[in-house]
Amino acid sequence: GLTAVSIVAQEKVKRSPAEEKAIEKLRSMGALVLEVAQNDPRLEVSYLQKIDNFGDQHLAPLKDLKTVHSLNLRAQPVTDAHVAGLKGMTSLTRLHLEKTKISDKALETVGGLTGLEYLNLYETGVTDAGLGSLKGLTKLNQLYLWQTKVTPAGADALKKSLAKCDINRGVEFVPIVVKEEPKKEMKKESKKGEAKKKAEEKKAVEKKAEEKKATEKKADDTKKAVEKKAAEAKKDGDKK
């Protein structure tokens, strides 16, 4: 019995001609299409290189694939109309739409993808109004909303419907403030340090000048004393 099970597990899943054709089509347009794992035939589809002329044709072949588990459209010029083409893809558990051109309208379609567990909407045009469309995504456990127009109140309202979902609005502004303060202090400190260094250098120059003056005065005094002694000696000689 065990041998038969292991043979079945190792056997490659046979896909229909329509599925094979859809996979080839996606790959020809620049998509990366991979199986989740050796023993997991579900598919991960990613458009990693930016495609300026991104259109419905880049998503159309997905309709012939019933086991797409993950779709990554990050930073592609994807619009609400493109997302409408994903309607009915309930096999999707992960959807990356971050840095796309979508708005609340796209969330009407996304809200129908009931298999979603992970959704990334970072840096998109979505707002509190659009979040209402996601209330039916009961399997969702990760939702990213950094740099969107969603407010804390909007996120809290959705949290009431999706209690187990981690809604991440990010803290993008906090680190910037924290990082800048030490810089300003450092600048002040470095300016203070420079001024102190200059003052010390000036003092050192002045000290050297004073020492030179003192040395010259000493030499001058010594010279005068020698001359005075010589003059006195001469005077004594003249008297004798």
Side-chain angles (χ1 to χ4, degrees):
L2 281 172
T3 320
V5 170
S6 59
I7 290 167
V8 170
Q10 284 171 8
E11 248 181 49
K12 198 146 173 66
V13 173
K14 284 182 180 169
R15 300 192 186 277
S16 70
E19 284 179 310
E20 292 292 354
K21 195 179 171 186
I23 291 169
E24 283 313 306
K25 185 74 178 159
L26 287 166
R27 285 175 177 160
S28 73
M29 290 185 289
L32 186 69
V33 185
L34 299 169
E35 288 187 352
V36 172
Q38 206 171 357
N39 58 348
D40 188 345
R42 292 178 303 160
L43 296 171
E44 291 181 345
V45 179
S46 309
Y47 279 103
L48 302 176
Q49 303 297 320
K50 191 171 181 192
I51 299 164
D52 292 321
N53 64 339
F54 194 94
D56 293 333
Q57 71 275 17
H58 290 89
L59 299 174
L62 295 170
K63 286 226 179 305
D64 293 319
L65 298 170
K66 304 297 173 214
T67 58
V68 179
H69 147 79
S70 170
L71 179 60
N72 188 346
L73 301 173
R74 176 189 166 90
Q76 297 296 349
V78 171
T79 63
D80 298 339
H82 295 139
V83 173
L86 304 178
K87 194 175 179 181
M89 287 187 66
T90 49
S91 65
L92 266 186
T93 60
R94 295 176 67 84
L95 180 58
H96 287 266
L97 290 170
E98 61 266 38
K99 295 191 170 192
T100 58
K101 298 180 185 300
I102 65 159
S103 71
D104 291 339
K105 182 77 181 157
L107 298 188
E108 292 173 18
T109 304
V110 174
L113 307 177
T114 50
L116 283 181
E117 295 171 13
Y118 170 103
L119 177 60
N120 199 328
L121 301 171
Y122 161 66
E123 216 178 289
T124 59
V126 301
T127 70
D128 292 352
L131 292 188
S133 302
L134 305 180
K135 287 180 179 176
L137 299 179
T138 52
K139 291 182 181 176
L140 200 65
N141 51 44
Q142 277 179 295
L143 174 61
Y144 291 92
L145 296 167
W146 310 341
Q147 292 181 26
T148 62
K149 292 169 187 168
V150 171
T151 66
D156 289 345
L158 181 61
K159 183 79 177 168
K160 283 173 188 169
S161 300
L162 305 177
K164 69 166 189 169
C165 184
D166 175 24
I167 300 172
N168 194 328
R169 287 184 60 255
V171 283
E172 63 270 21
F173 299 115
V174 177
I176 296 167
V177 178
V178 173
K179 279 179 192 168
E180 270 183 10
E181 287 310 313
K183 274 187 188 171
K184 281 180 186 171
E185 288 304 315
M186 277 166 69
K187 265 193 178 175
K188 278 184 193 171
E189 288 301 318
S190 62
K191 276 188 180 175
K192 272 187 193 172
E194 277 174 37
K196 197 179 173 189
K197 200 177 175 189
K198 278 184 182 172
E200 282 170 358
E201 281 170 358
K202 194 182 173 190
K203 269 187 187 173
V205 169
E206 283 170 355
K207 197 179 176 188
K208 268 193 179 177
E210 277 171 16
E211 281 172 359
K212 196 182 175 190
K213 233 182 185 180
T215 307
E216 283 171 357
K217 192 174 182 287
K218 204 176 177 186
D220 197 45
D221 288 349
T222 307
K223 194 183 172 188
K224 276 183 184 171
V226 169
E227 283 172 355
K228 196 180 177 187
K229 271 192 178 178
E232 282 171 358
K234 197 185 175 195
K235 214 178 182 183
D236 287 347
D238 287 346
K239 277 185 185 174
K240 285 176 185 175

